[in-house]
Amino acid sequence: MSYLLTATCAVPAAGAVLTAALPAGSDEGRRRVTKLVALGVSLATLLLAAVVAVRFEPGGARYQFTESHSWIRSFGITFSLGADGIGTVLVLLTAVLVPVVLLASWHDADPAPAPEGASAAAPGTFENRRRTQAFFALILAVEAMVVVSFLATDVFVFYVFFEAMLIPMYFLIGGFGDRAGGPESARQRSYAAVKFLLYNLLGGLVMLAAVIGLYVIAQGQGFATFDLPTLTGAIADGKLVVNPTAEKALFLGFFFAFAVKAPLWPLHTWLPNAMGESTAGTAVLITAVVDKVGTFAMLRFCLGLFPDASKTFAPAILVLAVIGIMYGALLAVGQKDIKRLIAYASISHFGFIIMGIFAMTSQGQSGATLYMVNHGISTAALMLVAGFLISRRGSRLIADYGGVQKVAPVLAGTFLIGGLATLSLPGLAPFVSEFLVLVGTFTRYPVIGVIATFGIVLAALYVLVLYQRTMTGPVKAGIGGMPDLKVRELAVVAPLVALTILLGVYPKPLTDIVNPAVDATLSQVHETDPAPAHPVAATPGGEHK
């Protein structure tokens, strides 16, 4: 039995404990040691994730590097891990983004300067002594929990970590939020953190009821286990039969939790608050990493465990997805806050991902999986550059910017690349995935596919208007002395830009890993790609017209 997946999960978890336990201190030297340790741990995790991706055999078993360790024997719960193609690419995405987030957030946990007329925090307070350790430890804890969620093949283990990641995210949002939020910033951060927690806890409680219900039904038919391959195999072979009404109820319990996490309209309202009040790095963790667990779980659990219910509810879910596409894009057009604009754009993009999943076609689901990766990279680039911009000016309002490209051309250029990727410009990574999603949807649900294309038009509008208002025109007051990107910031942006271009022109390495897992998922729901509406006709001589 290989322990590669356990190591990939354990390294960031151990790193979180180590980072939190480092000697406290308010001086820059000790804070720097904390940051370097956290960065080193994240790079070690990236190395392990790269080994998993390189050693993964697309034509091999669906779950590879499998491990199983007994946990709660009386209920058949095991700490079981296994990497399929979809989970592998998402683990790699997480491992790539966390070092980037840490580097981008290098000074986000430094003690804030005291407001004018107020005294600075005392050296012995938490603000000065433990703030940096806590911030970087929480990020590593989130990474560990997300990686376990992508690799877990035990339903109960997945649920535990699906919920546990809410705790460090709550503290990252509420305790280390955006300092450009004005005098009401602390109250707004607290509101955003509580809203995030309550929404996701509600989804988790509903899912817990469904998990228990699934176990009771399975146990009654001789399958006293939470092991996902065992359950899905029994369902596919007809050995585990779930009453259609019960299956629909269980599907809705699972799907509700995942739709909140994703987030899908109308369960999305926590996201703009959480991203708006977080630091740029935390906002990237939310939308590019944590939210992907929701869409990933729709593929692995909803379709695998409840194939008939998935097909029953697919049309309704597609309607919600296309509403989310249009709703998120329209609200992004009208935003005055840069970070909230990116948040609403993400809601629109998650609509595309969910639409691809429930179109039940190979192109749609391959595109949805690629979209999870490409959206994570492109949104990380745009949000982190926006964070660098906001940290220089001290404002999130679009109206406070103008003429940035004249004083900080590299910053403006990278912002433009991130924006163009967000609107899925051909040649950049999101275009490939969005094209596949639309093609896959159109072949089975043409009306939904046509309506969704208008989301692309709106994306061009909100991205280009944002760039025009912030980067072009006369240089506004407070912009003239703005410095361009520094070496550390360039090190953050460069790999994201490179991946955006590389995966835009050559996505084959990812599609080769993803496609077998997508085919296996479609076979679980007994779906095949629709036949062409107008097949090629043959002449009597055997030649095609």
Side-chain angles (χ1 to χ4, degrees):
M1 180 170 60
S2 169
Y3 291 95
L4 179 59
L5 300 187
T6 294
T8 307
C9 301
V11 166
V17 174
L18 173 62
T19 302
L22 287 173
S26 58
D27 58 284
E28 176 59 30
R30 292 190 178 183
R31 290 200 301 269
R32 183 177 178 81
V33 169
T34 298
K35 297 169 185 178
L36 290 174
V37 168
L39 182 61
V41 168
S42 68
L43 291 174
T45 306
L46 174 57
L47 178 62
L48 289 168
V51 171
V52 172
V54 170
R55 292 179 56 187
F56 185 86
E57 298 179 7
R62 177 167 185 185
Y63 295 105
Q64 301 180 25
F65 317 109
T66 54
E67 306 175 30
S68 184
H69 311 279
S70 181
W71 186 14
I72 307 176
R73 195 182 302 271
S74 58
F75 289 99
I77 299 173
T78 58
F79 187 81
S80 299
L81 303 175
D84 68 350
I86 299 170
T88 296
V89 297
L90 292 175
V91 167
L92 189 60
L93 170 70
T94 302
V96 167
L97 289 181
V98 169
V100 171
V101 166
L102 290 172
L103 201 57
S105 307
W106 206 249
H107 298 296
D108 286 353
D110 290 350
E116 187 175 348
S119 59
T125 62
F126 172 84
E127 175 72 16
N128 277 325
R129 296 180 70 252
R130 280 291 178 190
R131 182 179 175 88
T132 301
Q133 284 94 333
F135 180 75
F136 286 90
L138 289 170
I139 292 176
L140 292 176
V142 171
E143 180 180 26
M145 293 173 186
V146 169
V147 169
V148 173
S149 298
F150 287 142
L151 298 175
T153 56
D154 183 283
V155 178
F156 187 82
V157 170
F158 170 83
Y159 172 77
V160 168
F161 286 91
F162 179 82
E163 287 295 279
M165 69 180 70
L166 301 179
I167 298 170
M169 286 306 308
Y170 168 80
F171 287 108
L172 284 171
I173 297 168
F176 302 90
D178 188 4
R179 293 173 179 173
E184 295 294 317
S185 180
R187 184 183 63 83
Q188 292 169 355
R189 289 200 306 269
S190 177
Y191 171 79
V194 170
K195 189 174 184 179
F196 162 82
L197 187 64
L198 291 180
Y199 267 66
N200 284 276
L201 278 179
L202 175 62
L205 288 174
V206 174
M207 181 183 170
L208 178 60
V211 169
I212 295 172
L214 175 65
Y215 178 79
V216 170
I217 292 173
Q219 184 186 39
Q221 299 183 42
F223 295 94
T225 181
F226 286 96
D227 184 64
L228 181 65
T230 300
L231 293 173
T232 54
I235 291 170
D237 295 339
K239 298 177 181 178
L240 175 57
V241 179
V242 183
N243 177 279
T245 301
E247 181 183 355
K248 292 174 185 176
L250 294 176
F251 170 86
L252 290 175
F254 276 74
F255 179 78
F256 180 78
F258 304 152
V260 172
K261 182 87 79 179
L264 174 66
W265 183 92
L267 304 172
H268 67 283
T269 59
W270 62 267
L271 183 65
N273 296 100
M275 288 183 65
E277 300 306 324
S278 300
T279 65
T282 300
V284 169
L285 280 182
I286 294 170
T287 190
V289 176
V290 171
D291 288 354
K292 298 301 188 302
V293 178
T295 48
F296 162 79
M298 291 177 188
L299 276 167
R300 175 170 284 188
F301 295 96
C302 286
L303 273 60
L305 292 170
F306 317 109
D308 293 333
S310 296
K311 291 188 286 187
T312 299
F313 288 108
I317 294 170
L318 287 170
V319 170
L320 295 179
V322 80
I323 291 174
I325 290 170
M326 301 305 296
Y327 173 88
L330 285 169
L331 264 67
V333 170
Q335 288 303 304
K336 299 179 180 179
D337 182 308
I338 296 174
K339 292 170 74 174
R340 290 179 70 89
L341 184 152
I342 299 173
Y344 279 108
S346 289
I347 291 170
S348 181
H349 294 149
F350 275 103
F352 279 107
I353 295 171
I354 295 170
M355 185 176 74
I357 292 171
F358 285 93
M360 303 290 184
T361 61
S362 60
Q363 301 99 323
Q365 293 190 354
S366 293
T369 304
L370 286 179
Y371 214 136
M372 294 184 217
V373 176
N374 295 336
H375 170 265
I377 295 169
S378 62
T379 299
L382 184 61
M383 177 59 82
L384 293 177
V385 176
F388 297 149
L389 179 69
I390 292 167
S391 67
R392 285 159 164 75
R393 180 67 176 83
S395 172
R396 305 198 308 248
L397 298 178
I398 297 172
D400 289 340
Y401 295 88
V404 174
Q405 67 180 13
K406 296 178 181 177
V407 297
V410 177
L411 188 155
T414 53
F415 190 81
L416 178 61
I417 293 173
L420 293 176
T422 297
L423 63 83
S424 299
L425 183 76
L428 299 179
F431 170 77
V432 179
S433 44
E434 196 163 279
F435 178 79
L436 286 172
V437 166
L438 289 171
V439 169
T441 303
F442 187 83
T443 57
R444 179 159 279 149
Y445 300 96
V447 174
I448 294 291
V450 169
I451 296 173
T453 57
F454 288 98
I456 303 174
V457 178
L458 292 173
L461 180 61
Y462 62 69
V463 167
L464 296 178
V465 169
L466 172 64
Y467 183 84
Q468 180 187 44
R469 291 179 178 175
T470 55
M471 302 296 163
T472 65
V475 178
K476 286 198 172 182
I479 302 297
M482 179 178 291
D484 212 337
L485 293 184
K486 300 174 182 177
V487 174
R488 173 181 60 84
E489 295 165 334
L490 287 171
V492 168
V493 176
L496 299 177
V497 171
L499 287 171
T500 299
I501 297 172
L502 176 63
L503 295 177
V505 297
Y506 191 64
K508 189 175 183 296
L510 291 186
T511 57
D512 285 347
I513 296 176
V514 165
N515 285 341
V518 167
D519 292 339
T521 301
L522 283 175
S523 68
Q524 287 179 323
V525 293
H526 310 294
E527 286 284 8
T528 57
D529 290 333
H534 303 287
V536 178
T539 64
E543 296 180 357
H544 291 289
K545 293 182 179 178

